[in-house]
Amino acid sequence: MSEPAISIRDLQVALPAWSDRKLAVAGVSLDIAPGEILCIVGESGSGKSMMGKAILGLLPAPHVRAVGGQVHFEGRDLLTLSEDALRAVRGRRIAMIFQEPMTALNPLMPVGRQIEEVLEIHTDLAPAQRRARVLDLIRDVHLPDPERMIASYPHQLSGGQRQRIVIAMALALEPGLIIADEPTTALDVTTQAQILHLIKELQRAHGTAVLFITHDFGVVAEIADRVAVMRHGEVVEQGAAADVLGAPQADYTKALVAAVPGLKPRLREPADGTPPLLRVVDLEKTYRISSGLFGGAVREVKAAKKVSLELKRGSSLALVGESGSGKTTLARCIIGLESVESGLIELDGERISGRSRAELRPHRKNIQMVFQDPYASLNPRQRVGDIVALGPMLNGVGREEAIAQARELLRLVGLKPDAVERYPHEFSGGQRQRIGIARALAVKPKLIVADEPVSALDVSVQKQVLELLNDLRKSFGLSMLFITHDLRVAATVCEEIAIMQRGEIVERGATADIFAAPSHPYTRSLFDAVPGRAWISGLG
């Protein structure tokens, strides 16, 4: 057998004294062979990203630091190297692909120049040679029109294109190891599939070892040769991907696998003849975007083109599509955060489109929204009790009664009564999303619009929040419009689906019918792009 590309032995990373545990990484030992993809999977706080940063000496010292173990790479222990010696390893021999490419790229520099900078620092290539190498890398990651691409700035590229640029930078010097830290989490399902295929293709072509960090078992099923499962800083299980996914041994691994959203659709209940709660008829919305800072040519973007849909009382409809499909714009029009150009939005028999803010105010309590990022939508300076109680108080409920209602709602969403006295930053992401749900329920709405409410959550927390939304919908007799790009999530909570592409609904119907026989090519492409589809289809 060949020597491992990297060998980690008893790695320990210490946390600050005020943390909830002493070690972020507690005695981890792993090997990665040349040309192998090892997936590290675990929830937030498991220590997987800390381990990746420890390898490259990127921990936020002095509060977080490696305090024990060895990381052997190409005959040296990386933990004993000086900063200068580590700097020579980074980029040249070990490269990192970050989760959010926009934060990894300089917004003031063309992306071609940023790739060239890696070559300029680490090689003796002449300018013409560097440019030729950059163009080759752009072609390797399958980006169109390389000459135009290298002259573009990060903001001029899509999320998938930016991630390809970061991958090109990582491959520039053909490193022996690539650390990929959740590189597809923020991407649409089709773009995610392309990036996973690209990483595997390039890894095989260059024989590079890959440490792939993720919390998505679908991604693991798609890309991994071997898997290591981490919890509270420890590896609780590791082995060949087929073994870990097919017959997990550790209870924690079994729980994570059980929480993976499946592709078994919910069944639609028989129609009862009552009129729909929500009607949208021929809705149109266009954005006009100037090409320059001070005017210039105006580009029109049709975010919604003659969109029509209906939502029954007490039912749930998933609006599925990629970024830019118009689904969030449609939701914002329905809730009154965006004006519409033409068409009809009707709630419970009353027209709500085309009304002024003052005219909409009495209807606000009937439609509430659960946002994608709960932290950004909660006031960090207000206690949770005041956040949840604000809606009822604005509708005439006394403070004492509103706070009492907030306590009960927080209990219903699975939080302790003392949560009313705490601030948003004192809660985890999943708990903050529960607070957002409690706030939405506080005014007793008829319709909940949930905009990607679980996309940023770990798989087990995601399952809990989806089950909570479904239970509360039934308990409160709510209707729900659920916006997502993930067909697995849509299948979990919604009886009906509408597929949206470039501002148009291209397919609509019962979830079970569409899952059984998707008719539109775009819908079929979304199914084909589900990571680990074959493995997921065999679950439960």
Side-chain angles (χ1 to χ4, degrees):
M1 290 182 63
S2 62
E3 286 290 312
I6 189 166
S7 181
I8 302 168
R9 288 291 172 268
D10 195 28
L11 178 62
Q12 299 173 53
V13 174
L15 289 168
W18 59 82
S19 300
D20 59 353
R21 66 177 194 258
K22 289 184 178 180
L23 297 175
V25 180
V28 166
S29 295
L30 294 168
D31 289 337
I32 309 176
E36 179 182 58
I37 298 179
L38 173 67
C39 276
I40 306 293
V41 63
E43 298 174 288
S44 297
S46 63
K48 55 190 189 297
S49 290
M50 285 291 189
M51 184 186 65
K53 290 176 180 177
I55 292 170
L56 279 174
L58 296 176
L59 294 170
H63 298 300
V64 180
R65 64 196 189 283
V67 294
Q70 300 87 39
V71 178
H72 293 287
F73 179 76
E74 296 185 342
R76 294 184 290 178
D77 182 358
L78 299 182
L79 299 185
T80 65
L81 297 185
S82 66
E83 181 58 33
D84 286 343
L86 259 181
R87 194 175 295 116
V89 172
R90 294 187 199 120
R92 176 182 284 275
R93 298 307 304 144
I94 302 179
M96 196 156 190
I97 302 170
F98 293 94
Q99 178 174 352
E100 178 43 68
M102 197 61 176
T103 60
L105 295 170
N106 186 336
L108 302 178
M109 188 185 293
V111 296
R113 175 64 188 130
Q114 296 188 54
I115 301 172
E116 185 183 357
E117 196 173 51
V118 177
L119 300 169
E120 187 176 356
I121 292 170
H122 291 286
T123 72
D124 297 324
L125 294 175
Q129 293 173 309
R130 292 199 301 267
R131 179 181 174 81
R133 174 66 177 147
V134 170
L135 290 170
D136 285 342
L137 286 165
I138 293 293
R139 295 185 190 98
D140 284 347
V141 297
H142 307 312
L143 282 168
D145 194 355
E147 291 285 353
R148 179 184 65 81
M149 193 61 60
I150 64 174
S152 301
Y153 288 85
H155 73 273
Q156 296 175 306
L157 306 179
S158 69
Q161 288 173 329
R162 287 195 291 264
Q163 195 60 282
R164 288 169 188 263
I165 292 295
V166 172
I167 292 171
M169 292 173 70
L171 289 168
L173 301 168
E174 298 193 1
L177 173 68
I178 291 176
I179 301 172
D181 190 1
E182 300 271 15
T184 61
T185 298
L187 303 177
D188 290 320
V189 65
T190 50
T191 308
Q192 182 184 61
Q194 294 164 9
I195 295 298
L196 291 175
H197 177 76
L198 175 64
I199 289 174
K200 202 157 190 173
E201 172 192 314
L202 294 172
Q203 173 260 339
R204 285 174 174 168
H206 296 273
T208 310
V210 177
L211 177 64
F212 196 105
I213 297 167
T214 183
H215 67 265
D216 189 335
F217 267 91
V219 170
V220 173
E222 191 73 31
I223 200 171
D225 297 311
R226 287 195 307 117
V227 182
V229 182
M230 285 188 71
R231 185 189 189 196
H232 300 328
E234 299 178 350
V235 173
V236 298
E237 183 169 359
Q238 63 174 305
D243 296 336
V244 175
L245 295 173
Q249 300 300 307
D251 290 341
Y252 178 65
T253 310
K254 291 176 183 176
L256 289 181
V257 170
V260 174
L263 286 169
K264 184 178 180 181
R266 293 177 63 85
L267 297 177
R268 182 166 62 181
E269 296 179 4
D272 57 9
T274 58
L277 175 72
L278 174 71
R279 285 182 68 232
V280 178
V281 182
D282 290 340
L283 185 143
E284 297 223 342
K285 175 67 180 179
T286 304
Y287 293 108
R288 291 167 178 84
I289 303 169
S290 173
S291 60
L293 289 174
F294 305 102
V298 175
R299 180 168 59 96
E300 288 194 350
V301 177
K302 282 275 188 183
K305 308 174 189 175
K306 297 285 183 183
V307 172
S308 298
L309 58 83
E310 291 185 351
L311 178 58
K312 295 189 302 180
R313 296 172 192 275
S315 69
S316 57
L317 169 69
L319 194 59
V320 181
E322 298 172 285
S323 296
S325 63
K327 57 189 188 298
T328 295
T329 294
L330 176 58
R332 290 174 64 86
C333 289
I334 290 170
I335 205 168
L337 295 177
E338 295 277 0
S339 61
V340 301
E341 289 165 24
S342 63
L344 169 72
I345 302 173
E346 200 173 78
L347 183 71
D348 207 9
E350 287 194 61
R351 181 182 183 124
I352 58 173
S353 54
R355 296 195 174 197
S356 67
R357 286 181 176 270
E359 291 172 329
L360 273 176
R361 195 169 292 122
H363 298 278
R364 294 278 187 203
K365 65 180 181 180
N366 293 323
I367 310 179
Q368 289 293 300
M369 195 161 189
V370 179
F371 295 91
Q372 179 173 355
D373 185 348
Y375 195 65
S377 66
L378 300 174
N379 188 334
R381 297 186 177 184
Q382 279 190 313
R383 286 185 171 88
V384 164
D386 293 326
I387 291 172
V388 176
L390 180 61
M393 288 168 61
L394 290 174
N395 284 278
V397 177
R399 175 176 170 76
E400 190 173 330
E401 183 183 349
I403 292 292
Q405 291 176 4
R407 286 183 189 275
E408 177 59 18
L409 282 168
L410 291 168
R411 184 191 66 78
L412 283 174
V413 299
L415 297 175
K416 294 179 180 178
D418 67 355
V420 295
E421 301 296 335
R422 296 162 64 189
Y423 291 88
H425 73 271
E426 299 178 72
F427 295 88
S428 68
Q431 289 172 326
R432 285 196 289 265
Q433 195 58 284
R434 290 170 184 266
I435 294 166
I437 293 168
R439 177 179 60 180
L441 293 173
V443 292
K444 301 179 176 63
K446 298 176 181 177
L447 172 65
I448 292 281
V449 179
D451 187 6
E452 298 274 13
V454 297
S455 62
L457 303 179
D458 289 320
V459 64
S460 58
V461 180
Q462 186 181 84
K463 182 181 181 183
Q464 294 166 12
V465 171
L466 290 175
E467 288 177 346
L468 174 66
L469 280 169
N470 193 51
D471 291 343
L472 292 172
R473 180 172 66 85
K474 291 178 179 177
S475 300
F476 285 75
L478 298 168
S479 296
M480 183 165 67
L481 179 63
F482 196 102
I483 296 165
T484 182
H485 67 266
D486 192 334
L487 284 164
R488 299 171 297 175
V489 170
T492 302
V493 292
C494 296
E495 298 94 356
E496 296 186 72
I497 287 184
I499 306 293
M500 200 163 182
Q501 181 189 29
R502 300 194 188 107
E504 296 181 274
I505 291 180
V506 296
E507 188 164 0
R508 190 178 73 193
T511 305
D513 294 342
I514 290 178
F515 272 59
S519 61
H520 195 276
Y522 179 66
T523 310
R524 292 197 291 270
S525 74
L526 291 181
F527 275 100
D528 291 340
V530 172
R533 182 185 177 188
W535 173 73
I536 290 170
S537 297
L539 294 176

